[in-house]
Amino acid sequence: DAKTTQPTSMDCAEGRAANLPCNHSTISGNEYVYWYRQIHSQGPQYIIHGLKNNETNEMASLIITEDRKSSTLILPHATLRDTAVYYCIVRTGTASKLTFGTGTRLQVTL
Amino acid sequence: GAVVSQHPSRVICKSGTSVKIECRSLDFQATTMFWYRQFPKKSLMLMATSNEGSKATYEQGVEKDKFLINHASLTLSTLTVTSAHPEDSSFYICSASIVGREKLFFGSGTQLSVL
């Protein structure tokens, strides 16, 4: 699976949009971009995934660049409960294994 | 949505004893389950892939005799930490996937403390 690079930490004011970047410059054509988050002492929670097109669900939006070498997870209105470590993972859709990197620690503040 | 239940959430044991952790898929059948380990402030590390009805596949550096994995049914996988030592203290997390679906679902994790 392709390696990803994320900033170690980010801060965001409550109510503002949180934009979390991810670099995956070695991604191959059949690899998906997945985002999970982990709140302290809990199992990871699925957020969203995509292949080429931008995706949106009730939790977030995923913007993938045209060359697919990077992506951005957008939490439109961050709340204190969104404070967590966010993992960007690249893997093939048919292979179930997820390899976690170091992730981005997002701190949402008042 | 699909739910993965993990039990117990927390266990404390004496050094030398064995501990079993259960991972169940509650509303779907999981032919494959995964076991991860996480140390404080570190990322998740894949330990092994558990396949229903066959032997588990362990990642490099993970002792298969130390961490016994059994996946006897399509809804249950167990991880047994044998002869636990303090260095085995960690957060263990299981995950499961639905055949043909791209998402992977995670349990809530088990905090193991070996005294």
Side-chain angles (χ1 to χ4, degrees):
Chain A
D1 294 341
K3 194 172 180 180
T4 61
T5 305
Q6 299 177 251
T8 303
S9 64
M10 293 182 65
D11 291 332
C12 178
E14 189 176 34
R16 305 298 291 267
N19 297 284
L20 291 87
C22 179
N23 183 289
H24 32 80
S25 58
T26 59
I27 192 171
S28 57
N30 63 343
E31 290 183 309
Y32 289 74
V33 180
Y34 283 76
W35 283 84
Y36 281 79
R37 72 180 182 184
Q38 186 179 26
I39 296 170
H40 182 63
S41 298
Q42 297 182 24
Q45 176 190 21
Y46 168 84
I47 301 174
I48 199 167
H49 77 283
L51 182 62
K52 294 181 182 178
N53 300 321
N54 298 335
E55 302 287 345
T56 296
N57 62 21
E58 66 279 2
M59 289 183 68
S61 294
L62 173 60
I63 308 298
I64 303 174
T65 58
E66 194 169 339
D67 63 7
R68 304 209 322 123
K69 293 185 176 182
S70 65
S71 62
T72 301
L73 177 74
I74 302 173
L75 307 179
H77 305 286
T79 70
L80 296 178
R81 287 178 294 181
D82 293 322
T83 293
V85 178
Y86 287 76
Y87 295 99
C88 168
I89 303 166
V90 174
R91 72 172 177 96
T92 56
T94 55
S96 299
K97 183 170 69 173
L98 285 177
T99 302
F100 287 80
T102 54
T104 296
R105 186 171 298 274
L106 176 68
Q107 180 68 52
V108 181
T109 58
L110 291 172
Chain B
V3 176
V4 175
S5 174
Q6 190 172 339
H7 179 80
S9 59
R10 181 177 294 273
V11 58
I12 300 173
C13 70
K14 292 182 179 180
S15 187
T17 60
S18 294
V19 174
K20 180 184 285 188
I21 302 170
E22 292 188 349
C23 180
R24 294 180 184 274
S25 55
L26 295 186
D27 52 0
F28 65 98
Q29 294 183 331
T31 54
T32 304
M33 291 186 176
F34 303 89
W35 289 95
Y36 291 83
R37 182 176 185 177
Q38 186 176 33
F39 291 107
K41 297 189 178 181
K42 299 293 184 182
S43 188
L44 284 79
M45 181 189 76
L46 180 66
M47 298 175 66
T49 301
S50 167
N51 298 296
E52 187 268 336
S54 64
K55 290 183 179 180
T57 302
Y58 291 82
E59 296 297 305
Q60 190 174 9
V62 178
E63 300 175 60
K64 57 183 177 182
D65 295 330
K66 174 76 171 174
F67 301 100
L68 299 179
I69 292 173
N70 183 278
H71 193 160
S73 77
L74 287 172
T75 59
L76 173 65
S77 176
T78 61
L79 167 68
T80 300
V81 182
T82 63
S83 186
H85 288 95
E87 57 265 31
D88 298 324
S89 298
S90 186
F91 191 55
Y92 293 88
I93 308 167
C94 70
S95 65
S97 63
I98 301 174
V99 175
R101 295 273 296 275
E102 294 159 353
K103 290 183 195 179
L104 198 63
F105 300 94
F106 286 82
S108 55
T110 297
Q111 182 62 53
L112 171 63
S113 299
V114 184
L115 304 178

